């Protein structure tokens, strides 16, 4: 038990640093782009690591299933830190982007490897609480990250936003390493799912190219590029997820689809709410950001409740409730377009949406492990991350293009952007009942993860 607690603390610390990087770098990037004369490549600096992260999640799934999660975690931390160091020492925008690409790949390895650690080092009964802890690790960075990043930029310089995170993150690998090293993988024979998954990497590269086209085209109004990106994602994306995912086949495919729909709906609205509050309601950026902070805090609360009280309800009920809560939050944003609606309405609504994500995200993560064989946990965990990234990217690209086309029409542009967020939320709520497989097998005897951990201890 003591070793499990130490492992949990190490994983939460690692996720906290990864989350702080995402929040802090986002806050610092306007200054970075201006300093390096790279405003024209601003979107690429975000889309690049997003794309390499997709390739990494696919590679990590294969690697973890065949060899265990220890090496992917170590490699992920090293690449994550090297990328940050490269970005922090960059002398030009392309050097910075190169560092961001490496950092994104490392982050993708870390994400999938941690899912596999949870699946193999903890009994099934502990999965909801561990995922709740990992989800809560995003809260503190979301609350204080932008302010800390601003202070670092003002008093130390933007380079230290990257450098300090790298310096703080690297030692975490030394803490986690001894606890994950005993966790093995499958033999990796030609018939295992992990071995077959290696063939997916070229398809992942195709998806990454599509994601870059979507980001670039969406920022620069290139509808042809957006269309090309969508085509690449549509052709290559289904190869990276279980068969039937985008057709909502019952069981694991629907779990992965519903989780992706939840993330896409939440992020699409999350992007446009601050814009609406600052441009149309006259709030300062800091006050507008408090809405997102409130949502992050309630996300943590929802995750905590589903881990401790939510198990009394079926996973389908928790997912349906979570997606419905996100839909209500999006509707509050739609209502805010009307001048008579007070800002407090969207603050309350986004708290409801954050609570819904707290219910849905850990529930889906737990279900993926429950519905996966031991030699498929890495592959299926990577599929969960890939589907989340794909659906979020597609919705953001489409939403951004529609908003740009309608922005001259005033409030209509915001209504369209929020309705695009509403569609996946409603679809996910309607499909939540399909996450239960048609038939389930009951394991006989003790949990093998308990036995292996006991021997390790």
């Amino acid at each position: 038990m003591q070793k499990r607690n130490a492992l949990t603390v190490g994983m939460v610390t690692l996720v906290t640093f990864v989350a702080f990087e995402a929040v802090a770098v986002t806050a610092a990037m306007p200054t970075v782009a201006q300093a390096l004369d790279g405003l024209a490549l601003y979107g690429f600096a975000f889309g690049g690591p997003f794309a390499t992260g997709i390739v990494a999640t696919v590679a990590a799934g294969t690697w973890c299933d065949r060899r265990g999660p220890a090496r992917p975690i170590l490699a992920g931390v090293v690449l994550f830190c090297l990328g940050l160091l490269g970005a922090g020492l960059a002398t030009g925008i392309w050097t910075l982007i190169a560092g961001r690409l490496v950092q994104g790949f490392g982050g993708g390895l870390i994400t999938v490897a941690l899912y596999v650690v949870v699946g193999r080092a903890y009994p099934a009964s502990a999965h909801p609480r561990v995922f709740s802890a990992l989800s809560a690790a995003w809260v503190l960075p979301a609350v204080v990250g932008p302010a800390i990043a601003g202070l670092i930029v003002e008093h130390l310089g933007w380079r230290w936003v990257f450098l300090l995170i790298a310096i703080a993150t690297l030692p975490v690998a030394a803490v986690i390493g001894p606890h994950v090293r005993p966790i093995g993988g499958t033999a990796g024979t030609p018939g295992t799912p992990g071995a077959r998954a290696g063939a997916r990497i070229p398809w992942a590269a195709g998806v990454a190219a599509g994601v870059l086209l979507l980001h670039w085209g969406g920022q620069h109004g290139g509808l042809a590029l957006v269309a090309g990106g969508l085509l690449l994602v549509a052709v290559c994306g289904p190869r990276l997820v279980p068969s039937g995912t985008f057709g909502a086949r019952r069981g694991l495919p629907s779990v992965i689809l519903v989780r992706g729909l939840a993330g896409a709906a939440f992020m699409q609205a999350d992007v446009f709410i601050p814009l609406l509050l600052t441009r149309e309601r006259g709030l300062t950026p800091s006050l507008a950001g408090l809405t997102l902070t409130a949502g992050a805090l309630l996300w943590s609360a929802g995750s905590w409740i589903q881990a401790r009280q939510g198990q009394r309800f079926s996973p389908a009920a928790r997912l349906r409730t979570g997606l419905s809560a996100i839909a209500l939050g999006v509707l509050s944003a739609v209502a805010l377009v009307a001048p008579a609606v007070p800002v407090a309405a969207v603050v309350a609504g986004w708290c409801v949406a954050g609570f819904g994500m707290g219910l849905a995200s850990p529930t889906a993560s737990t279900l993926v492990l429950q519905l996966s064989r031991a030699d498929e946990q890495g592959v299926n965990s990577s599929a969960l991350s890939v589907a989340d990234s794909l659906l979020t990217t597609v919705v953001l690209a489409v939403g951004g293009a529609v908003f740009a086309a309608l922005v001259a029409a005033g409030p209509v542009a915001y209504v369209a952007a929020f309705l695009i967020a509403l569609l996946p939320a409603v679809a996910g709520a309607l499909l939540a009942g399909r996450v239960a497989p048609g038939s389930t097998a009951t394991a006989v005897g003790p949990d093998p993860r308990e036995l292996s951990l006991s021997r390790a201890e």
Side-chain angles (χ1 to χ4, degrees), residues 262 265-266 269 273 298-299 302 317-333 345-360 421-422 424-426 428-430:
F266 189 86
I273 286 174
L298 267 293
W299 183 328
R318 299 200 301 273
L319 286 171
R320 186 179 297 111
T321 301
L323 270 295
S324 299
I326 295 171
L328 288 175
V330 174
L331 286 174
S332 73
V346 77
V347 175
W350 210 235
C351 286
V352 172
F355 186 85
M357 277 299 294
L359 291 178
L422 185 63
V426 172
L430 294 175

Side-chain angles (χ1 to χ4, degrees), residues 66-393:
R66 298 180 66 180
R67 304 300 180 192
R71 291 180 180 178
I73 286 180
L74 177 60
V77 172
V78 170
L79 290 173
F80 181 78
C81 293
L82 285 177
L84 288 170
L85 289 173
L89 299 174
T91 56
I93 188 63
W94 282 110
T95 312
L96 179 127
I97 288 175
R100 296 278 288 156
L101 294 176
V102 174
Q103 172 250 307
F105 194 91
L109 292 178
I110 292 170
T111 299
V112 174
L114 290 182
Y115 273 74
V116 176
V117 170
V118 176
R120 296 183 185 172
Y122 297 84
S125 60
H127 291 171
R129 294 196 178 192
V130 178
F131 280 121
S132 174
L134 295 180
S135 180
W138 282 80
V139 174
L140 183 61
V143 174
V144 303
I148 292 177
L151 291 173
I152 292 174
V153 169
E154 291 175 12
H155 298 285
L156 296 178
W158 63 265
R159 297 181 185 277
W160 286 100
V161 173
F162 297 94
L163 298 176
L164 288 175
I165 298 172
I167 294 170
T169 303
L170 193 57
V172 180
V175 175
I176 295 180
H179 300 290
V180 299
R181 201 168 292 123
I183 306 172
T186 61
T189 58
T192 63
R196 295 195 304 270
R200 299 174 182 172
I201 294 178
W203 296 107
V207 167
V211 166
L212 289 177
L213 287 176
L214 286 172
H215 276 271
W216 186 272
Q219 183 182 2
H220 294 85
L223 293 181
L225 294 178
V226 171
L230 287 173
L231 179 62
L232 271 174
V233 169
V235 171
C236 301
R239 308 274 185 161
L240 305 179
V241 294
S243 177
T245 294
F246 296 114
R249 181 180 296 174
R250 184 172 290 278
L252 179 66
S254 285
V255 175
I256 291 174
L257 176 61
V258 170
R259 173 61 183 88
L261 291 171
F266 189 86
M267 286 304 299
Q268 168 67 10
D270 209 48
V271 165
F272 284 96
I273 286 174
L275 190 65
L276 174 62
L277 291 174
T278 53
R279 291 189 59 179
E280 307 299 328
R281 291 300 185 96
L283 270 68
T284 63
S286 59
L287 287 177
L290 289 177
T291 301
L292 307 186
T293 299
L297 292 173
L298 267 293
W299 183 328
S300 178
S303 180
W304 186 88
I305 288 175
Q306 74 81 32
R308 289 157 178 79
Q309 303 295 328
Q311 307 309 306
R312 295 181 296 177
F313 304 94
S314 70
R318 299 200 301 273
L319 286 171
R320 186 179 297 111
T321 301
L323 270 295
S324 299
I326 295 171
L328 288 175
V330 174
L331 286 174
S332 73
V334 174
L336 192 66
V337 174
V341 176
V343 172
V346 77
V347 175
W350 210 235
C351 286
V352 172
F355 186 85
M357 277 299 294
L359 291 178
S361 182
T363 297
S365 300
T366 301
L367 267 179
V368 166
L369 295 181
Q370 290 178 354
L371 299 177
S372 302
R373 297 201 312 263
D375 59 355
E376 293 178 315
Q377 288 176 340
V379 170
N380 290 338
S381 294
S382 74
L384 183 70
S385 296
V386 167
D388 195 9
S389 298
L390 285 184
L391 289 170
T392 299
T393 298

